[in-house]
């Protein structure tokens, strides 16, 4: 029996390791010069000098900070998709506001813009679209809808680095904020980490203050020369969301490899496409013209003709030594969300169908062709 093919695996190279060691030896292991360098290089990667990049210790933190800076609070509603990880919606509850869940578009598995439009009410303040699997949402339509009702858009881009809409990188579209994740399984990984992107200077400076206890750095800078560097001012009850230089050390080198990582992921996705087309499965939605897929996930959906169900398929793949996963158990199925907002599956038929029939196949840059061929032949033996 050959080795287990995991569902996901980060690719950490010698440069990343040396950079972490360099930080360890320097004695500066929390937020410092490496975090600043990672923020600067991330802005350069996105190619817009007017963007602000705020490094944080998770995408969840970044989403929370963005909504906080936008003034979202009790009585407000934020529209998002049921087909996401709980972090997308929990940040709305952190602030005492309420998420309003809508279904996905079966053609993209991303939030359905028409459903967003119908869900807008007098309390709606923002929309959180999720670029599911790394495929961008229909941002043109969503931006039109948001503009017509005066709503903010905060993009959950946890899957979407790097991805593009209408020829422009996600993060540069001019929405209120975009948040990327560098969690261990994401397209670039720092263990835990995230980056908040915004063009709004006020939002960026509020997020910078709130990511570190509500300490106002400008006050610090203003007074530090006169009063030495012990002086600071607390202007709000902030959070502990700062990125460490250890994580940033990984991020700096992961970022440099992001293009080649994407190339490999795209190649692997194309190999799956070519090998699975005749099976009783629907292949993942394609990007439309001008859009670029980050290929964080490769999700197939069993058709009516499939001889096994999703549970059996995942179990039998595991028996073949292959790790698969399901993205996601939709939020309308999770006790907290279901009970608090009286949600049921019939309100979200497209998400429910993807949940019941969707399987995420192994996809990671360190997967070689031989390992992928094993995944393919196991799938073929179960589904043919
Ligand atoms: C991973 C993920 C998050 C949270 O990212 P963290 O960096 O772990 O906080 C949020 N939304 C989606 C869709 C994710 O996949």
């Amino acid at each position: 029996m050959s080795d287990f093919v995991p569902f996901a695996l980060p690719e950490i190279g010698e440069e990343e390791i040396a950079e972490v060691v360099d930080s360890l030896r320097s004695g500066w292991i929390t937020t410092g010069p490496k975090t600043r360098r990672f923020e600067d290089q991330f802005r350069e990667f996105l190619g817009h000098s007017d963007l602000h990049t705020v490094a944080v210790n998770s995408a969840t933190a970044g989403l929370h900070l963005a909504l906080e800076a936008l003034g979202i609070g009790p009585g407000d509603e934020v529209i998002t998709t049921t087909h996401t990880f709980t972090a997308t919606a929990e940040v709305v509850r952190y602030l005492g506001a309420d998420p309003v869940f809508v279904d996905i578009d079966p053609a993209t598995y991303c939030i359905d813009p028409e459903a967003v439009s119908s869900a807008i009410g007098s309390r709606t303040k923002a929309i959180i679209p999720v670029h599911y699997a790394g495929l961008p949402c229909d941002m043109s339509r969503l931006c039109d809808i948001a503009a017509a009702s005066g709503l903010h858009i905060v993009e959950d881009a946890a899957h979407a680095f790097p991805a593009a809409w209408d020829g422009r990188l996600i993060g540069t579209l001019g929405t209120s904020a975009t948040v990327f994740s560098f969690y261990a399984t994401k397209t670039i990984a720092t263990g835990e980490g995230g980056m908040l992107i915004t063009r709004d200077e006020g939002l960026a400076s509020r997020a910078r203050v709130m990511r570190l206890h509500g300490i106002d750095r400008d006050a610090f800078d203003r007074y530090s020369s006169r009063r030495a560097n012990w002086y600071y001012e607390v202007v709000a009850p902030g959070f502990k969301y700062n990125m460490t230089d250890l994580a940033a050390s990984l991020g700096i080198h992961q970022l440099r490899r992001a293009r080649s990582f994407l190339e490999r992921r795209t190649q692997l996705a194309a190999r799956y496409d070519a090998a699975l087309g005749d099976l009783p499965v629907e292949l993942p939605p394609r990007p439309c013209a001008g859009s670029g897929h980050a290929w964080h996930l490769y999700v197939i959906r069993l058709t009516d003709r499939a001889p096994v169900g999703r549970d059996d398929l995942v179990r039998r793949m595991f028996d073949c030594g292959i790790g698969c996963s399901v993205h996601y158990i939709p939020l309308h199925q999770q006790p907290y969300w279901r009970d608090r907002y009286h949600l049921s599956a019939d309100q979200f038929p497209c998400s429910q169908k993807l949940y019941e029939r969707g399987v995420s196949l192994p996809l990671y840059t360190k997967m070689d062709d031989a390992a992928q061929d094993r995944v393919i032949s196991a799938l073929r033996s179960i589904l043919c």
Side-chain angles (χ1 to χ4, degrees), residues 23-52:
S23 286
L24 292 172
R25 292 197 200 287
S26 79
W28 198 280
I29 57 176
T30 182
T31 311
K34 299 275 177 82
T35 302
R36 214 159 307 128
R37 198 195 308 167
F38 185 35
E39 289 177 335
D40 290 345
Q41 291 178 353
F42 208 91
R43 186 189 321 105
E44 282 161 28
F45 186 99
L46 294 175
H48 287 252
S49 53
D50 60 336
L51 287 175
H52 304 276

Side-chain angles (χ1 to χ4, degrees), residues 58-60 84-85 87-88 130 156 158-159 181-183 186 192-193 328:
S58 72
T60 308
T84 186
F85 185 55
T88 314
V130 178
D156 180 338
H159 299 184
S181 173
F182 313 130
Y183 178 67
K186 300 288 159 70
E192 303 287 354
Y328 287 93

